[in-house]
Amino acid sequence: MKLIDGKKISEKVLDEIKLSVQNRIKNNLKVPHLAAILVGDDGASKTYVNSKIKACKKVGFKSSLFNFDDSISEIDLINQIEKINKNDDIDGFIVQLPLPKHIDQDNILNMISPAKDVDGFHPNNYGRMTLGLESFIPATPAGIIELIERSEIKTEGKKCLVIGRSQIVGRPISILMSQNKSFGNSTVTVAHSRSKDLKKLCLDSDIIISAIGIPEFIKGNMIKKGTSIIDVGITRVEDLSSPKGYRIVGDVDFKSVSNNVEYITPVPGGVGPMTISMLLKNTLKACKISD
Ligand code: NAD
């Protein structure tokens, strides 16, 4: 079993970004600037945004936080987005989700300038990704690609099962795994909540990318020897033996699959740490495009 160390790979990506920023400064080029819009004061959203801002500081990016009250109307939020779209100093920005119920998430994401859409959720970027054109790839699937490439897992001609069809993970990674590029060329099956006989699908796969959110759902008897697993799932389960009273587990029953897998991402410490690094990588790309 080879463990894919997402923490280590993510640190390496951040170091590379930091070096690029230092080179840009030496060459009198603009320092990348990431902005985040946060609506309301949801604790988890605040934590996510703060860790993105902390990561910006680490690599030498500029960052800005636009925090609006959760009573902001959709039209006022759109006006704020238009202001950021026009602000030449900001290279990329994200709208932290979820938004309050009275705001239509799709309307908001559609207002982000595709050139600054470093989360890659604007239909323009999503469509370009689907067409295999240059685009901002959403951070989690981009992180999965980085993990697979840097671990030198071969994807060409492999049978890849993607479990989950969400817009942020399952759908995009299934598209990317099947694309005709140096990364991809897998034969992809997408499974979801209505799929029948998941065990059979798993047993028939060389690579499994699981993004379900059901703790320890994939067991050792569901995979064949030599399977590589990317476990995207993150669930908190009660654990009274832990000081916090809970632990974080993935979709995969790590212990029971460990004898059969070739490569596996742990949870925590696998896909999770990659997400912020890939957001910053997209921001650096946006900044370079606007040079
Ligand atoms: P989601 O929560 O929107 O949907 C879950 C998906 O799982 C659906 O497509 C559903 O069809 C599928 N599913 C549910 N039950 C199933 C079953 N029994 N068999 C097969 N498929 C089933 O998906 P999401 O937002 O992609 O999140 C999935 C998991 O990934 C969650 O645990 C989430 O926390 C985690 N996640 C992690 C990261 C990260 O950075 N590591 C990023 C995003 C999501």
Side-chain angles (χ1 to χ4, degrees), residues 1-18:
M1 177 186 76
K2 293 171 208 155
L3 206 61
I4 303 174
D5 188 340
K7 210 160 170 255
K8 207 165 147 189
I9 295 175
S10 148
E11 289 293 335
K12 196 158 188 305
V13 173
L14 290 178
D15 284 346
E16 291 164 6
I17 296 173
K18 189 174 174 180

Side-chain angles (χ1 to χ4, degrees), residues 140 163-166 168-169 192-193 211-214 217 232-234 271-272 275:
T140 305
I163 317 178
R165 56 181 164 185
S166 71
I168 61 168
V169 190
H192 45 78
S193 52
I212 323 175
I214 304 178
F217 181 76
V232 189
I234 300 177
V271 178
T275 305

Side-chain angles (χ1 to χ4, degrees), residues 2 31 121 136:
K2 293 171 208 155
V31 170
F121 295 144
F136 294 112

Side-chain angles (χ1 to χ4, degrees), residues 3-4 6 210 215-216 229-236 247-254 264-273:
L3 206 61
I4 303 174
S210 183
E216 300 177 334
I229 302 186
I230 306 293
D231 187 354
V232 189
I234 300 177
T235 314
R236 245 185 211 198
R247 66 194 162 93
I248 302 291
V249 296
D251 289 349
V252 178
D253 183 348
F254 193 89
I264 187 163
T265 57
V267 178
V271 178

Side-chain angles (χ1 to χ4, degrees), residues 6-224:
K7 210 160 170 255
K8 207 165 147 189
I9 295 175
S10 148
E11 289 293 335
K12 196 158 188 305
V13 173
L14 290 178
D15 284 346
E16 291 164 6
I17 296 173
K18 189 174 174 180
L19 193 65
S20 284
V21 176
Q22 286 164 351
N23 284 333
R24 289 182 66 80
I25 293 170
K26 266 190 217 144
N27 293 312
N28 288 320
L29 292 168
K30 187 181 175 300
V31 170
H33 183 175
L34 174 70
I37 292 182
L38 176 65
V39 180
D41 60 359
D42 174 71
S45 293
K46 263 188 184 166
T47 308
Y48 291 140
V49 165
N50 285 337
S51 41
K52 287 166 190 172
I53 288 172
K54 212 169 127 194
C56 283
K57 286 206 179 100
K58 203 169 166 179
V59 298
F61 279 13
K62 266 178 87 175
S63 62
S64 303
L65 173 62
F66 297 87
N67 198 175
F68 302 112
D69 195 86
D70 60 7
S71 63
I72 190 169
S73 67
E74 189 172 308
I75 189 69
D76 284 347
L77 187 56
I78 287 174
N79 288 336
Q80 294 294 342
I81 287 175
E82 281 179 338
K83 265 195 211 162
I84 301 177
N85 283 340
K86 286 183 196 140
N87 182 337
D88 286 340
D89 193 53
I90 295 173
D91 300 292
F93 68 103
I94 57 140
V95 177
Q96 186 64 47
L97 302 176
L99 290 168
K101 281 198 174 68
H102 66 276
I103 298 175
D104 185 317
Q105 189 173 296
D106 289 339
N107 287 347
I108 295 301
L109 297 181
N110 284 351
M111 291 314 297
I112 299 176
S113 158
K116 296 190 180 190
D117 170 40
V118 286
D119 254 344
F121 295 144
H122 189 284
N124 190 314
N125 277 311
Y126 216 85
R128 289 182 64 84
M129 174 194 70
T130 306
L131 293 167
L133 301 172
E134 200 50 50
S135 68
F136 294 112
I137 293 173
T140 305
I144 295 172
I145 295 177
E146 202 83 27
L147 290 178
I148 292 179
E149 282 190 321
R150 292 193 190 226
S151 310
E152 298 183 359
I153 299 174
K154 301 275 168 288
T155 56
E156 185 168 317
K158 302 285 181 194
K159 284 186 190 173
C160 172
L161 175 67
V162 175
I163 317 178
R165 56 181 164 185
S166 71
Q167 282 181 23
I168 61 168
V169 190
R171 179 70 62 219
I173 196 64
S174 68
I175 292 164
L176 295 163
M177 288 300 290
S178 71
Q179 69 185 350
N180 185 6
K181 290 199 175 170
S182 60
F183 176 89
N185 279 316
S186 292
T187 304
V188 178
T189 303
V190 182
H192 45 78
S193 52
R194 307 292 170 93
S195 298
K196 301 262 189 285
D197 206 349
L198 198 66
K199 183 178 175 184
K200 190 168 168 236
L201 294 173
C202 288
L203 279 167
D204 193 35
S205 304
D206 305 307
I207 301 171
I208 298 174
I209 302 176
S210 183
I212 323 175
I214 304 178
E216 300 177 334
F217 181 76
I218 297 170
K219 307 284 182 198
N221 66 355
M222 293 169 74
I223 62 159
K224 65 175 184 189

